[in-house]
Amino acid sequence: MALASTVKVVLGSIAFAIFWVLAVFPAVPFLPIGRTAGSLLGAMLMVVFQVLTPNQAYAAIDLPILGLLFGTMVVSIYLERADMFKYLGMMLSWKSKGAKDLLCRICLISAISSALFTNDTSCVVLTEFVLKTARQHNLPPHPFLLALASSANIGSSATPIGNPQNLIIALKSKISFGNFLIGILPAMLMGVFVNALILICMYWKLLSIQKDEEDVAGEVFSQEEMNAHRFSPATLSHHSQEFNSKLELMAMQSPTHMSGNLGHVEALRNRASSSETEIQKDSIVTLDSPRNSNASIEAAKDVSTQVKEETILSKRFASMDRLIDALSGRSSEGKEDFNTKWKKLLWKSCVYLVTIGMLIALLMGLNMSWTAITAALALVVLDFKDARPSLEKVSYSLLIFFCGMFITIDGFNRTGIPSTLWNLMEPYSRIDHVSGIATLAIVILVMSNLASNVPTVLLLGERVAESAVAFSTADERKAWLIIAWVSTVAGNLSLFGSAANLIVCEQARRAPQFGYTLSFWSHLKFGVPSTLIVTAIGLALIR
């Protein structure tokens, strides 16, 4: 495509430059309006500067990508409500065999969850689990946070739903979910392994610190908590028969799952019987006592003793009535809790089954956008309550950012600048030989860190694919997969390379009681060698 008129080129470049600055530096001092507003500002300027017509701007918005993004976000929200990520977090420390074992688990779980539920979602929900696990094992959180963020980026490259740039690539290239997975999965698995190996080598001393004895307080029941559910009734009197009848009635009305309370009932019945026997013995002793004492004093004592006994016994019997009422109430509450527990378990099972069904449908090659939307609406219906609280958690700002970005990138493409630059670079970036693949990978790495990976895919994707199709259809597919792999792994180069890195950094900093700051330079020290090595190894495995 030839360059447009000078005015259009200049004005389009200004609009794109504003978008780029605000996308990369959302809190820039002279215009701190953020990424979302920045993308809308760039889109609006493209229309105002007449680089695009209003109809062209609307046409530039890719609705299938937005639909797929919305559907996967809703499914992730319901999976979080169904405790999926809680169970993943619990797997981190289950029977852990040391720091290195823990780091490898984090890498594996982060990669798999990111491939299925997007890297950003995995980082949001797993960061605090990682911090808690590291602190429980008295280990520095730094290498584990790096493992979480970097493995999330690498793992998300394996599927079209792993990250936003893969969504764009899958829909524009029309590569099926299964072919996408098969093409990148070997590179992803090897990348996760090599990334974990690099982390272990770089932080060997930190990970070799002798672990102190784990805090097992949470695993031991408090004796006070146990005693709070036990009762020690006092000795009963002749009212014990009535009390026994009440216990019998309560025992017959109690459900089978209240066996613990029935144990208390039996104990109370036994104590009631024993107390009655003791009282009878006391009565016999009283009758056989010597009769040589003063009759008036003895009568007064008998009256006083009888009054005291009746007062004490009436109080004890009243306390037993309250006890029966409490146990009866607990029985009904336990029945309600039992029903609620089973309903929740059934709902969770339905959420997992719908998610598995969505993944199977994607593997079968069904339309990805409508498959995700259908799964999302199925979960909304199965929840059988107002969906507003769940839908409010959807990142609508991200969807709006994508709308503005689609318009801005399309306007910049119409200036002819990207095509002109690609024409200069294309002879050196052909994927039919190793040097061309290496050059293309370097260009994508640099652009992904300068302009972010999604704009890079939108700018280069179709041009690289058109260049590759001249050789064969298989090379076109390979070109798209190379772009997906390199643009995703490029996010590990620096802290600002991907949203997942920033999410981990921010979540770790704000975590209550476990706060930790991951600095730019500490990330860069690991990110540069890891990104270069993992990218190179993955390129050799992509077919």
Side-chain angles (χ1 to χ4, degrees):
M1 181 180 178
L3 282 172
S5 64
T6 304
V7 175
K8 185 176 284 189
V9 169
V10 172
L11 294 177
S13 299
I14 291 173
F16 180 78
I18 291 173
F19 160 77
W20 178 81
V21 170
L22 293 175
V24 179
F25 308 104
V28 65
F30 61 84
L31 197 62
I33 61 175
R35 289 188 179 91
T36 302
S39 72
L40 290 177
L41 178 60
M44 181 270 292
L45 291 175
M46 286 293 182
V47 176
V48 170
F49 292 159
Q50 296 185 354
V51 178
L52 289 173
T53 66
N55 289 334
Q56 288 173 334
Y58 287 128
I61 298 174
D62 200 324
L63 291 178
I65 292 174
L66 296 179
L68 181 55
L69 199 59
F70 172 80
T72 53
M73 283 193 286
V74 173
V75 171
S76 297
I77 288 167
Y78 278 94
L79 282 171
E80 184 177 2
R81 281 185 53 195
D83 295 332
M84 167 64 78
F85 298 102
K86 176 184 175 182
Y87 299 142
L88 289 175
M90 291 169 61
M91 288 174 62
L92 294 177
S93 57
W94 182 67
K95 294 185 178 180
S96 177
K97 297 180 180 179
K100 300 177 185 66
D101 173 59
L102 178 61
L103 187 139
C104 292
R105 289 188 187 203
I106 291 173
C107 288
L108 185 61
I109 292 173
S110 174
I112 294 174
S113 62
S114 296
L116 299 176
F117 314 119
T118 76
N119 54 354
D120 294 352
T121 300
S122 298
C123 290
V124 166
V125 298
L126 290 179
T127 299
E128 192 166 345
F129 284 113
V130 170
L131 284 172
K132 288 180 180 179
T133 305
R135 291 297 167 88
Q136 284 174 358
H137 291 75
N138 296 313
L139 295 167
H142 177 72
F144 302 103
L145 293 175
L146 289 176
L148 174 64
S150 59
S151 298
N153 286 327
I154 296 171
S156 69
S157 65
T159 63
I161 61 174
N163 56 60
Q165 63 268 23
N166 281 12
L167 297 177
I168 296 171
I169 290 171
L171 292 173
K172 286 188 175 295
S173 66
K174 295 181 173 55
I175 300 175
S176 68
F177 189 96
N179 288 333
F180 198 106
L181 178 63
I182 293 171
I184 294 188
L185 184 61
M188 186 273 275
L189 294 175
M190 183 58 68
V192 171
F193 172 77
V194 172
N195 186 65
L197 195 62
I198 293 171
L199 280 166
I200 290 174
C201 292
M202 288 188 68
Y203 298 99
W204 182 269
K205 290 184 178 179
L206 283 176
L207 298 174
S208 299
I209 296 175
Q210 185 65 32
K211 184 184 76 171
D212 292 339
E213 190 171 334
E214 293 184 19
D215 182 16
V216 296
E219 300 176 3
V220 180
F221 254 112
S222 169
Q223 189 64 32
E224 293 180 2
E225 186 179 356
M226 296 284 286
N227 290 338
H229 299 281
R230 291 177 181 169
F231 302 95
S232 300
T235 306
L236 303 180
S237 64
H238 57 276
H239 299 289
S240 61
Q241 291 182 356
E242 184 180 351
F243 181 65
N244 277 343
S245 64
K246 290 186 178 182
L247 292 179
E248 292 283 356
L249 179 61
M250 198 182 103
M252 289 188 293
Q253 294 176 346
S254 297
T256 55
H257 65 276
M258 295 297 293
S259 58
N261 290 337
L262 292 179
H264 291 306
V265 170
E266 284 296 328
L268 293 175
R269 184 186 290 113
N270 294 336
R271 294 190 183 191
S273 300
S274 62
S275 65
E276 186 179 1
T277 304
E278 289 177 9
I279 291 173
Q280 289 175 356
K281 289 181 179 179
D282 290 341
S283 300
I284 296 172
V285 171
T286 304
L287 291 173
D288 292 340
S289 60
R291 300 179 181 272
N292 55 1
S293 52
N294 189 293
S296 61
I297 295 176
E298 184 177 344
K301 284 183 178 180
D302 288 342
V303 171
S304 176
T305 302
Q306 185 176 358
V307 170
K308 287 182 180 179
E309 284 184 0
E310 289 180 354
T311 303
I312 293 171
L313 292 174
S314 62
K315 289 182 179 179
R316 290 174 179 175
F317 187 70
S319 67
M320 291 306 102
D321 283 338
R322 290 195 297 270
L323 174 60
I324 293 171
D325 294 338
L327 291 175
S328 301
R330 179 174 298 177
S331 174
S332 59
E333 289 176 4
K335 188 174 182 179
E336 292 176 2
D337 292 342
F338 183 77
N339 293 334
T340 304
K341 180 180 177 181
W342 275 104
K343 286 181 181 178
K344 189 173 183 180
L345 182 61
L346 180 61
W347 180 78
K348 286 183 180 181
S349 302
C350 290
V351 173
Y352 300 150
L353 287 174
V354 169
T355 305
I356 293 171
M358 182 189 76
L359 295 175
I360 292 173
L362 292 172
L363 286 170
M364 291 173 62
L366 299 182
N367 184 281
M368 284 190 274
S369 298
W370 283 106
T371 297
I373 292 172
T374 301
L377 291 177
L379 294 176
V380 169
V381 173
L382 286 171
D383 195 26
F384 207 67
K385 62 177 66 171
D386 187 0
R388 185 186 304 170
S390 295
L391 294 179
E392 284 176 350
K393 295 181 181 179
V394 172
S395 180
Y396 295 104
S397 62
L398 179 62
L399 299 176
I400 296 172
F401 171 79
F402 267 73
C403 291
M405 182 181 62
F406 286 141
I407 296 171
T408 305
I409 296 297
D410 187 59
F412 189 58
N413 282 332
R414 289 176 184 273
T415 64
I417 294 176
S419 297
T420 303
L421 293 175
W422 175 250
N423 290 335
L424 295 173
M425 189 177 57
E426 192 263 344
Y428 310 101
S429 305
R430 294 176 178 172
I431 65 170
D432 59 335
H433 49 84
V434 175
S435 61
I437 294 176
T439 303
L440 178 62
I442 292 171
V443 171
I444 296 172
L445 278 172
V446 173
M447 287 189 64
S448 294
N449 280 275
L450 291 179
S452 185
N453 41 27
V454 176
T456 297
V457 168
L458 290 171
L459 288 170
L460 290 180
E462 292 181 344
R463 293 176 176 82
V464 174
E466 289 172 1
S467 175
V469 78
F471 302 102
S472 69
T473 306
D475 284 335
E476 180 189 11
R477 174 174 168 272
K478 182 178 179 180
W480 281 113
L481 295 180
I482 287 174
I483 296 171
W485 172 253
V486 179
S487 64
T488 301
V489 178
N492 287 338
L493 188 69
S494 72
L495 187 61
F496 303 116
S498 76
N501 297 345
L502 296 174
I503 288 171
V504 170
C505 179
E506 194 65 16
Q507 292 281 109
R509 187 178 66 83
R510 293 183 178 181
Q513 301 178 351
F514 302 100
Y516 181 83
T517 301
L518 186 63
S519 68
F520 174 85
W521 294 109
S522 62
H523 186 284
L524 191 69
K525 177 183 175 183
F526 157 76
V528 172
S530 172
T531 302
L532 296 177
I533 295 171
V534 171
T535 300
I537 292 174
L539 287 173
L541 297 174
I542 291 177
R543 293 289 181 267

